[in-house]
């Protein structure tokens, strides 16, 4: 059953935060430092320790350009969950910004990461950096979430790691890559192929992928042909092999106006959830009158997530 949530909402005023925010960095196996933010329930003076089971964290991986500056929903989620006993980690992935200066702890050198040079083969490394940090922090419950393309990454990761010890997953607004690539012309595809075949894979493409994302040829080619992330669909006859290998239980959330749902958000999440091994146990939530990043409905999203989490933890 898909549940709809509705709530009046204004964009988040960060000066009103009561849940402490602590920036941190986590190192991947390849040495790249990723930057996250912990919204800590334990250090919140308004937190009642008897509200939920202790030591629960929600790790939410970011999508392409899906950072704190562009997605105020993260503040809503961190504030709402933190006020009810859940730690929340804004887990910045390599593509959260177009370009971001970071450090490699193995080489000691400065590196530039971003959507412009993301490598999908590093997804496991990035996710496990945050999961390892959670394990080292002795959390009793770990929920792995991802927004936008990061939801697809979470599903791909779990399809290959059934042994992963997270409690549940949350897929926030997964991407339909077929729709995402609609603005990539045949000419653009040909240019990408030419760059790759002539050894120019690390050069910037002379156009912006999807009309808004500058990137090197190798990354552009991955967006066009890396099928494991092309795992959420509308069509009945599409390739659902990734979802069919996901044994973890979880939830799908989506905005009712999400453009990747092609006009029917409820059908989109129902259709993809039906291919999970334990889809009958999933929570499916539509946040009405909002789109892919839950504009002006961050509070509604956060409240809906809280209710699902409390149901899971108190089960």
């Amino acid at each position: 059953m898909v549940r709809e949530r509705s709530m009046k909402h204004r964009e988040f005023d960060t000066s009103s935060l009561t849940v402490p925010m602590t920036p941190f960095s986590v190192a991947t196996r390849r040495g790249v430092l990723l930057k996250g933010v912990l919204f800590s329930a334990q250090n919140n003076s308004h937190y009642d320790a008897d509200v939920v089971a202790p030591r629960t964290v929600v790790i939410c991986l970011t999508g392409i350009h899906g950072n704190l500056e562009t997605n105020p929903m993260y503040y809503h989620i961190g504030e709402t969950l933190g006020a009810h006993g859940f730690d929340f980690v804004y887990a910045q992935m390599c593509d959260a910004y177009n370009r971001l200066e970071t450090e490699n702890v193995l080489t000691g050198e400065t590196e530039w990461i971003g959507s412009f040079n993301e490598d999908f083969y590093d997804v496991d490394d990035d996710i496990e950096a945050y999961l390892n940090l959670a394990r080292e922090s002795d959390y009793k419950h770990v929920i792995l979430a991802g927004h936008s393309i990061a939801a697809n990454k979470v599903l791909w990761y779990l399809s290959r790691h059934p042994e992963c010890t997270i409690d549940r997953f949350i897929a926030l607004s997964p991407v339909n890559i077929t729709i995402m690539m609609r603005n990539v012309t045949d000419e653009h595809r040909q240019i990408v192929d030419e760059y790759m075949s002539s050894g120019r894979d690390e050069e910037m493409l002379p156009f912006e992928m999807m009309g808004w994302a500058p990137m090197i040829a190798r990354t552009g080619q991955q967006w066009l042909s890396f099928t494991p992330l092309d795992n959420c669909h509308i069509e009945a006859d599409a390739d659902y092999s990734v979802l069919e290998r996901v044994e973890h239980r979880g939830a799908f959330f989506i905005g009712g106006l999400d453009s990747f749902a092609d006009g029917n958000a409820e059908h989109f999440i129902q259709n993809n959830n039906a291919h999970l091994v334990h889809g009958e146990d999933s929570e499916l939530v539509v946040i009405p009158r909002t789109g892919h990043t839950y504009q002006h409905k961050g509070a509604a999203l956060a409240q809906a997530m809280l209710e699902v989490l409390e149901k899971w933890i108190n089960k």
Side-chain angles (χ1 to χ4, degrees):
M1 177 69 67
V2 174
R3 297 183 294 115
E4 282 209 354
R5 297 292 316 221
S6 181
M7 181 179 293
K8 291 185 178 179
H9 161 69
R10 63 181 178 82
E11 287 302 327
F12 197 83
D13 177 8
T14 56
S15 66
S16 66
L17 277 170
T18 64
V19 176
M21 291 173 53
T22 305
F24 67 90
S25 295
V26 60
T28 62
R29 287 192 304 270
R30 65 190 185 280
V32 173
L33 280 180
L34 301 175
K35 300 178 187 298
V37 177
L38 169 66
F39 292 76
S40 176
Q42 307 301 317
N43 295 325
N44 174 19
S45 60
H46 299 272
Y47 162 57
D48 180 354
D50 296 325
V51 174
V52 296
R55 303 298 292 157
T56 300
V57 64
V58 178
I59 301 170
C60 190
L61 310 171
T62 60
I64 181 169
H65 297 185
N67 49 66
L68 281 170
E69 287 76 12
T70 59
N71 284 14
M73 69 177 191
Y74 291 117
Y75 293 109
H76 285 283
I77 298 170
E79 178 76 355
T80 299
L81 299 190
H84 292 81
F86 295 91
D87 279 4
F88 176 70
V89 171
Y90 157 83
Q92 190 169 287
M93 298 287 274
C94 287
D95 61 353
Y97 292 86
N98 177 42
R99 292 176 70 94
L100 185 68
E101 184 177 356
T102 188
E103 176 187 350
N104 189 302
V105 297
L106 299 181
T107 66
E109 297 179 355
T110 296
E111 288 194 17
W112 288 92
I113 61 173
S115 62
F116 84 100
N117 70 348
E118 179 183 17
D119 190 336
F120 292 153
Y121 290 102
D122 292 333
V123 166
D124 279 19
D125 194 10
D126 295 349
I127 291 177
E128 288 169 0
Y130 287 106
L131 290 179
N132 289 337
L133 183 63
R135 295 185 188 105
E136 293 166 4
S137 301
D138 294 325
Y139 282 105
K140 183 177 180 180
H141 302 287
V142 178
I143 312 296
L144 181 62
H147 174 247
S148 190
I149 192 64
N152 301 60
K153 292 175 180 177
V154 166
L155 293 166
W156 179 46
Y157 178 82
L158 294 177
S159 75
R160 293 172 297 111
H161 296 280
E163 79 287 352
C164 180
T165 56
I166 65 165
D167 291 71
R168 304 265 180 159
F169 73 85
I170 297 176
L172 292 168
S173 307
V175 168
N176 182 317
I177 289 184
T178 300
I179 292 178
M180 199 169 191
M181 294 296 111
R182 281 179 177 173
N183 290 331
V184 181
T185 67
D186 289 342
E187 180 184 1
H188 291 161
R189 293 173 185 269
Q190 182 177 351
I191 292 171
V192 172
D193 288 343
E194 290 173 354
Y195 271 56
M196 294 298 295
S197 62
S198 60
R200 302 169 66 188
D201 50 300
E202 296 298 315
E203 291 187 27
M204 293 295 296
L205 293 168
F207 61 90
E208 295 183 340
M209 285 288 290
M210 300 165 281
W212 49 270
M215 58 185 61
I216 62 175
R218 171 181 52 76
T219 301
Q221 192 227 23
Q222 288 188 355
W223 272 103
L224 292 172
S225 61
F226 195 82
T227 56
L229 293 187
D230 188 12
N231 53 42
C232 289
H233 312 282
I234 297 168
E235 305 82 6
D237 59 349
D239 181 2
Y240 292 96
S241 58
V242 168
L243 300 184
E244 289 164 354
R245 294 194 300 270
V246 176
E247 299 182 10
H248 291 77
R249 292 167 170 83
F252 283 90
F253 287 74
I254 195 169
L257 303 178
D258 194 315
S259 59
F260 293 116
D262 210 23
N264 193 335
E266 182 173 335
H267 168 74
F268 182 54
I269 59 174
Q270 284 179 331
N271 179 55
N272 288 286
N273 178 70
H275 293 274
L276 299 180
V277 175
H278 299 291
E280 72 280 1
D281 294 331
S282 298
E283 299 291 331
L284 307 180
V285 183
V286 175
I287 309 297
R289 299 186 297 279
T290 190
H292 190 65
T293 58
Y294 304 93
Q295 305 93 323
H296 307 292
K297 288 298 185 79
L301 170 64
Q303 183 61 33
M305 286 183 64
L306 173 63
E307 293 177 11
V308 167
L309 290 167
E310 289 182 330
K311 177 180 178 179
W312 285 343
I313 300 303
N314 293 325
K315 214 168 192 181

